Amino acid sequence: MTHISAYRLPPTTRRASTAAKCVVVLVFGLTCLNGCRRSESPSVDRPSTENEQTPAEDRQPTDDGQQIVADGVLKDMAAAYKKASTYSDNGTVRLMAEGAMGRIDQSADFSLTFERPNKMHMDVYGATVVCDGKELYARVEDLPDQVLVRDAPKEFTMESIYRDRILATTLIQGFAGASPQWMLLTADDPMKILLHGVESASLGEPGKIGDRDYYCVNIVRKDGTAVFWVDRESHVLRRIELPTDELRRMLARGGEVKEVLLVADFVDARLDAKIDAGKFLVEVPSDANRVKFFVPPHPAQLLGKKAPEFRFTDLDGNSVTVESLAGKVAVLDFWAGWCSPCRKSLPMLSKIAEQFKDNQQIAFLAVSVDQPETKNQVLLDTLDELGVKLPIVRDTDRHTNTLFHATGIPTMFILDANGVVQDFHVGGDPDLADVLPEKLEKLLAGEDIYQEPLALYNKELEDYERALEASETKTSETETSKPDTPEGTVVEEHRIPQAKVAPRTEPETFKLSQLWTCSELKSPGNILVVTQPDGSVRLVVVVGWKSIAQLGLDGKLIAVHRLEIDKMEVVSNLRTVVDAEGKRYFAAVASAQQRFHLLDADFNVVFSFPADGLKHPHQGIADVELGDLAGDGKLQAYVGYWGVIGVQAVSLEGKRVWSNRSISNVVKMAVGGPDAQGQRLLFCTNNSGSLAKIDAEGDRRSEVTVDGRTLHWIVAADLTGDGQLEWCGMAAPKFGDNIAVGLNLKGEELWHYTLPGGIQPKPVEQIVFGRLAPVADDQWLLPGPDGSIHVIAADGKLLDRFNYGAVIGGLAVAEHDGRTLLIVSSPSGLEGWRVE
C-alpha cells in the first residue's frame, strides 16, 4: 500500500545486537552515562559557567518576582509532558572532540514524534519505530532484512517499545543512553525516574537558544552532572548536556585533549502541536521479512540453502570457493592456533579424514581464522605439533563471521556436493568420531541431513515465540482489567512493582538475639563468609558500590578496601575461590557493568575483564562464577553476559580461553557437581528460560528445561551433606513475580514457593543457604523484596518466615562460638544476630 506522505523504512547496515535491560537501566543510561562539565564550543550557544555549582536551595527570581527552584522546574517540565496530547522534535545527539587524536564529530538520530494514545515515530541511533495506531513497525540496522510488526497497544507506556530485546538494546545502548522524551511522555512517574540516585538538582545561569530563554538545571549524581535546558514558557526540554569526564579520560590516552562535547539537542521540540498524519504512515518494503520478534544471524539459518559466496585462500595463494568445491562433500573446520578447544578437536577430525583419504568425493579443510600477519609456516608448525594432517586454507576476509554467522571457534560446517549447507556444529564435539562418519556416508549416498538440526533451531524459535505470546497475553489481560480512567490519563501496562517494607516480626521456630551492629559501614551489601588460612573466619562485605570491608564474627571492623577501579565502575556481588596452592581469589561484579574485577586475597585488582570493556562497550556482564570445570586444578572465571555475547571462560591470568555464543541473556550461572572424571558442567540461565549445560571446552551439551517455568536465577548447594547438589531457581511468570523452584537435573519440578511480589530494592543475592531453623540439614534462605526472610528445607517445606523490618542488602549465615550467627545488611548497617 502506498501513501502520499508515507514513511518508507530505510535500507540499513549491520550493527551488533544486544538484549534489553530493565526500566531502571534505561534511566541510568540517560542520567548516569555521564559526568558532565560545561565546556565551551563555537557551535553551541551556552550560558556562563560562573555559577555552575549553585546550591540546590538557591533560588532565582522570575520577571514577576516569583522564586524558582530546580525541583520546581523539573516538576513543571514533567507535568507539561504528562498532560500533552502530542509531542514532536527533530532531535539529534552529537559527540565532538578535538586534540592529539585529531577531530571527532559524530552524530546520531535522537528524534520522536508522539500522539496519544498510541501513535508514534521514533528514530534513535540505528532503530526506527513507527506506530499508526493499528500496528507497530520497527527496524534495526543490524538486521536490515527484518521488519518487526505487532499490534499497536491501546496506549503507550514506557515499556511498550522495549519488549523486544534486540530493539530495546539498540534504543538504549547509544552514547547518550535511552530517549528522555519517551520517558517523560510515557512513564507513570517520570520525576521518580529522573531523580533516581540524584544527589542534588540546582539552577545554573539562565541560557538562551535563538530567541528562547531557558532554565539550566544541573542534575548531580555520584558519577557526574547533566545539564537540562528547559524552556521558561513551554517547559519543553530543549537540550541535555551530557557529562564528558569519562570520554575525556579515555581520549587522553592518545594524547592531549583540548575539547570534548556531548549534547542531545531536541530541535523544534513542541508540545500539543498539530502532527501531520503522514508521519505515522509506513510503507514496508516488499522484500522485507515481517517478524514478530527480531532474530539475530545464526548458522542454522544457512541449513538447506546454498552456501554463501565465500572465498578462502590456500597456502599457495589459490582461491577456494563454493564453486571450486563443487561435486565434493566439504567439511570446513574453522580454527585458530590460539584456540585451546581447536587444538583438541583438530586431531579428531584428522583421524576421520584419514578414514576417507581414498575417497575423492570428500574434501576436509582446516580453515584458519588467525590474523593475516600470521605466517603460513606458523600454521603448518601448529598442525604438525598436533599431529594433524589436513589441508589449510585461510579466511583473511573474516567470512567466518560475516557469511557463516559463526560467533566462536571451533565451528564446523558440512556442505554437500551441490554446495548446500547440510550441518554445522559450534564448539568441540567429543562424539565427533562416532557421528561425523555416519553423516558423511549419508551425504555420499545422496541423502539430506539438514532437516534435524534445522528442526531443533526452529523449535527454539517457536519456544521463544510462545513465551512472547504468553507475556503479551498477560499484558492484554492486565489492560482489560483496568478501571476506566479520565480521558488523557496515561495508564501503565507494566508498572515497576515496588514492594513495601513489612513491619518487623519474629521467627517462630528459633529466636534471634542481636549481638552487634556495625554502623560504620554505609550502604552495606552482599556478604561472603570466608575462612582465613589460619582457620579464623571473616565477613567480607560490599560497601558503597566501590569498597569491600572485612569484619570479624564479633562485628569489629578490620579494614575497608577501596577498589582501584574506574570511577564509572561499581561492584555489588562477590564470588570467591581457593586454588590448589591455597591462594584465595575474589571476583567483584555488578550487573550491566562493562567489566568484572579479579581480586587477590588482599583485595588488589589482579585484572579487569574484558580489558578493553570501557573502550569498546558491550551489552554488559550479568554474572561471574569461579571454578574448575576441567578438574585439572586450573581455576577459571566464567562470565555470563546480557545480550548475545553468551558465556566466556577466562584464565586467572586474564586471558579468554573460550567463548560460547549459542545462548543469550545469561543472567545467572551455577557450577554442577563432578562426574567420574572430576569434570563439571556450567549451568546457565538464558533467554529461553532453560538451563544450558556448558562443558569444560565451552561446548553446549544439552539443557535442563522445567516444564512451565522460565528460570532466570539458579543456585546449587549440598544442603543435606550427602555429596549431592540440591538445585533452587527463581522464576517470574510476570514482571515482579518471585517464585522459588526446586528442581533436579532431569528437569522435574520438585517444589515451588511463592515469595512476596515486587522488585528487590538492592542487588541482593536472591538465593543463599545456611542453617537457621533447628533441623539437621542446611536450608535455602530467600530474602523477599519487602524485607522478609523465608527459610525453606531441601524438600521445599517452609520452615519459617519472618520480616526483618528493613530493606535487605545482603544475607549470610556463619558459626560463631558454637552457635549460628545470622548476618544481615540493612540501611542501619551490618547487624549480627545469634540464632537460638
Side-chain angles (χ1 to χ4, degrees):
M1 182 173 66
T2 302
H3 304 277
I4 294 175
S5 303
Y7 177 80
R8 181 177 177 84
L9 292 170
T12 51
T13 55
R14 293 188 180 275
R15 177 183 296 175
S17 61
T18 49
K21 313 295 193 302
C22 68
V23 172
V24 175
V25 177
L26 311 188
V27 184
F28 195 87
L30 167 64
T31 60
C32 315
L33 182 98
N34 327 325
C36 166
R37 172 182 302 136
R38 301 237 196 140
S39 55
E40 300 300 326
S41 169
S43 62
V44 178
D45 180 17
R46 58 176 68 250
S48 166
T49 62
E50 293 179 0
N51 297 321
E52 187 172 354
Q53 300 300 324
T54 304
E57 64 270 19
D58 281 8
R59 293 165 168 78
Q60 294 182 0
T62 63
D63 293 338
D64 58 5
Q66 294 182 352
Q67 298 296 308
I68 300 296
V69 295
D71 187 63
V73 172
L74 295 176
K75 286 181 177 178
D76 288 344
M77 176 187 71
Y81 279 75
K82 190 74 171 178
K83 69 181 182 180
S85 59
T86 67
Y87 170 84
S88 62
D89 67 41
N90 293 305
T92 60
V93 60
R94 187 177 183 186
L95 168 63
M96 292 173 284
E98 188 172 359
M101 72 290 183
R103 181 172 178 83
I104 297 173
D105 192 342
Q106 300 177 358
S107 61
D109 291 331
F110 212 51
S111 66
L112 174 65
T113 303
F114 178 86
E115 182 177 302
R116 299 191 195 278
N118 61 353
K119 294 182 180 181
M120 57 92 73
H121 182 142
M122 175 184 283
D123 288 302
V124 172
Y125 308 124
T128 295
V129 187
V130 185
C131 186
D132 59 8
K134 297 179 181 179
E135 288 186 307
L136 182 144
Y137 305 84
R139 197 166 189 182
V140 295
E141 284 188 353
D142 63 326
L143 301 170
D145 300 327
Q146 299 179 32
V147 176
L148 184 147
V149 182
R150 291 185 180 177
D151 290 339
K154 293 182 178 179
E155 57 186 355
F156 277 123
T157 70
M158 188 163 68
E159 288 183 298
S160 297
I161 61 172
Y162 296 124
R163 288 179 182 143
D164 183 273
R165 67 182 189 274
I166 292 176
L167 175 61
T169 306
T170 305
L171 294 173
I172 294 168
Q173 293 292 327
F175 47 79
S179 165
Q181 317 99 296
W182 181 256
M183 183 273 292
L184 288 168
L185 289 161
T186 61
D188 192 40
D189 188 350
M191 280 295 291
K192 185 174 183 179
I193 296 173
L194 184 63
L195 298 180
H196 177 75
V198 169
E199 295 180 346
S200 67
S202 60
L203 288 178
E205 286 293 315
K208 198 176 188 68
I209 301 176
D211 59 354
R212 304 290 296 183
D213 294 319
Y214 293 87
Y215 296 113
C216 290
V217 182
N218 302 316
I219 298 180
V220 182
R221 300 172 53 108
K222 291 181 179 179
D223 40 15
T225 304
V227 183
F228 280 52
W229 292 56
V230 182
D231 191 289
R232 293 172 69 97
E233 295 181 9
S234 68
H235 308 295
V236 73
L237 178 62
R238 174 59 175 79
R239 173 181 293 169
I240 302 178
E241 295 179 37
L242 298 168
T244 59
D245 286 355
E246 175 62 15
L247 282 170
R248 183 181 292 271
R249 187 189 67 80
M250 292 173 61
L251 293 172
R253 296 173 183 172
E256 180 187 7
V257 178
K258 298 179 180 179
E259 191 66 54
V260 182
L261 184 64
L262 181 58
V263 175
D265 258 317
F266 309 111
V267 180
D268 299 327
R270 296 182 297 170
L271 295 169
D272 292 316
K274 182 176 177 57
I275 306 295
D276 180 2
K279 191 69 174 176
F280 306 119
L281 298 181
V282 180
E283 180 187 348
V284 179
S286 59
D287 59 345
N289 180 22
R290 293 175 175 243
V291 297
K292 294 182 179 179
F293 56 92
F294 286 117
V295 182
H298 192 283
Q301 295 165 2
L302 302 175
L303 290 167
K305 301 176 182 178
K306 190 72 176 288
E309 294 294 327
F310 62 84
R311 182 176 297 276
F312 305 138
T313 306
D314 67 19
L315 299 191
D316 294 323
N318 301 311
S319 294
V320 178
T321 65
V322 65
E323 289 81 11
S324 68
L325 293 172
K328 294 184 178 183
V329 173
V331 179
L332 310 179
D333 192 62
F334 295 90
W335 69 286
W338 48 262
C339 168
S340 177
C342 300
R343 299 173 73 89
K344 295 184 178 181
S345 63
L346 279 170
M348 298 173 63
L349 182 62
S350 182
K351 290 179 180 179
I352 297 171
E354 183 69 17
Q355 298 175 29
F356 291 88
K357 65 180 180 180
D358 296 327
N359 193 326
Q360 301 302 310
Q361 303 305 309
I362 298 183
F364 292 85
L365 297 177
V367 185
S368 168
V369 299
D370 288 276
Q371 294 296 323
E373 57 267 24
T374 303
K375 301 295 185 182
N376 288 344
Q377 190 59 48
V378 173
L379 304 180
L380 290 168
D381 291 344
T382 300
L383 293 199
D384 185 61
E385 174 192 346
L386 298 173
V388 172
K389 297 180 179 180
L390 292 172
I392 299 173
V393 296
R394 306 196 63 166
D395 177 22
T396 55
D397 292 329
R398 295 291 183 264
H399 288 164
T400 311
N401 304 102
T402 57
L403 298 182
F404 286 92
H405 310 322
T407 55
I409 53 172
T411 294
M412 179 186 296
F413 284 86
I414 305 176
L415 315 183
D416 67 14
N418 297 315
V420 173
V421 180
Q422 291 282 345
D423 198 11
F424 76 95
H425 185 84
V426 178
D429 184 355
D431 300 322
L432 188 67
D434 296 325
V435 299
L436 182 57
E438 181 180 350
K439 292 178 180 179
L440 296 178
E441 293 292 355
K442 289 182 178 180
L443 292 175
L444 288 171
E447 298 181 35
D448 288 326
I449 63 172
Y450 68 84
Q451 294 90 342
E452 182 177 350
L454 183 59
L456 290 174
Y457 173 70
N458 287 333
K459 184 179 182 302
E460 290 183 4
L461 294 181
E462 291 168 2
D463 290 343
Y464 181 58
E465 183 175 349
R466 281 196 295 269
L468 282 178
E469 289 174 348
S471 174
E472 294 294 337
T473 299
K474 288 184 174 65
T475 300
S476 177
E477 292 171 351
T478 301
E479 288 178 343
T480 57
S481 64
K482 292 177 184 175
D484 293 335
T485 55
E487 183 178 357
T489 301
V490 178
V491 182
E492 291 288 309
E493 295 172 20
H494 288 293
R495 303 175 189 272
I496 301 178
Q498 301 293 333
K500 183 179 180 180
V501 174
R504 183 178 177 87
T505 61
E506 297 300 323
E508 296 182 358
T509 61
F510 54 90
K511 179 181 177 183
L512 294 177
S513 301
Q514 188 166 9
L515 292 181
W516 49 262
T517 298
C518 183
S519 56
E520 299 169 73
L521 301 182
K522 305 301 181 184
S523 300
N526 286 301
I527 310 161
L528 287 180
V529 179
V530 176
T531 302
Q532 299 294 102
D534 62 4
S536 63
V537 178
R538 289 186 179 180
L539 303 177
V540 178
V541 187
V542 177
V543 180
W545 303 99
K546 287 183 177 292
S547 299
I548 295 177
Q550 287 180 289
L551 299 90
L553 293 181
D554 57 3
K556 293 182 179 179
L557 184 62
I558 297 172
V560 177
H561 307 271
R562 178 79 176 183
L563 297 181
E564 294 295 326
I565 58 178
D566 190 87
K567 67 179 181 179
M568 298 296 291
E569 296 181 296
V570 298
V571 300
S572 62
N573 302 73
L574 294 174
R575 309 282 184 257
T576 190
V577 71
V578 177
D579 69 10
E581 298 177 355
K583 295 181 181 178
R584 182 174 292 280
Y585 294 91
F586 296 89
V589 64
S591 182
Q593 289 289 290
Q594 296 298 308
R595 307 191 298 181
F596 87 91
H597 312 281
L598 188 77
L599 315 176
D600 63 19
D602 296 320
F603 303 98
N604 300 308
V605 176
V606 179
F607 65 79
S608 299
F609 183 89
D612 61 351
L614 299 180
K615 187 176 181 180
H616 302 290
H618 49 81
Q619 301 96 323
I621 292 173
D623 187 28
V624 174
E625 294 294 330
L626 300 173
D628 174 16
L629 297 184
D632 58 3
K634 298 179 180 178
L635 294 174
Q636 295 176 335
Y638 306 104
V639 188
Y641 290 83
W642 288 102
V644 297
I645 297 180
V647 185
Q648 296 177 346
V650 182
S651 71
L652 294 198
E653 290 74 42
K655 304 297 183 182
R656 188 173 71 184
V657 179
W658 51 255
S659 175
N660 187 307
R661 302 187 68 163
S662 67
I663 52 178
S664 58
N665 286 341
V666 184
V667 176
K668 188 70 173 69
M669 302 175 290
V671 177
D675 61 14
Q677 289 73 42
Q679 295 190 347
R680 302 170 187 263
L681 295 174
L682 185 68
F683 293 79
C684 309
T685 65
N686 61 89
N687 208 59
S688 70
S690 66
L691 298 178
K693 299 179 185 179
I694 308 296
D695 67 16
E697 303 298 330
D699 297 330
R700 182 174 179 176
R701 288 295 186 88
S702 58
E703 59 187 4
V704 177
T705 302
V706 180
D707 190 36
R709 298 294 187 194
T710 301
L711 300 176
H712 65 266
W713 202 269
I714 190 66
V715 172
D718 179 9
L719 298 185
T720 61
D722 62 357
Q724 301 298 313
L725 295 177
E726 279 73 41
W727 295 80
C728 182
M730 294 292 292
K734 65 177 184 292
F735 192 43
D737 284 356
N738 300 292
I739 300 178
V741 179
L743 62 140
N744 61 27
L745 297 185
K746 298 178 182 179
E748 298 170 335
E749 180 176 317
L750 306 179
W751 54 266
H752 69 269
Y753 175 79
T754 302
L755 284 85
I759 301 300
Q760 291 284 1
K762 298 285 187 178
V764 62
E765 296 286 352
Q766 297 184 29
I767 304 171
V768 296
F769 54 91
R771 189 173 306 173
L772 282 185
V775 296
D777 299 331
D778 284 354
Q779 303 112 37
W780 299 116
L781 310 179
L782 312 177
D786 61 345
S788 56
I789 297 176
H790 306 255
V791 185
I792 311 293
D795 61 3
K797 179 181 178 182
L798 176 64
L799 300 178
D800 215 318
R801 179 198 187 283
F802 59 99
N803 299 328
Y804 195 72
V807 171
I808 297 174
L811 195 63
V813 175
E815 292 296 318
H816 181 50
D817 293 336
R819 299 200 176 195
T820 300
L821 179 68
L822 172 66
I823 309 102
V824 182
S825 292
S826 75
S828 301
L830 193 70
E831 299 168 325
W833 300 79
R834 185 171 61 227
V835 181
E836 301 175 308

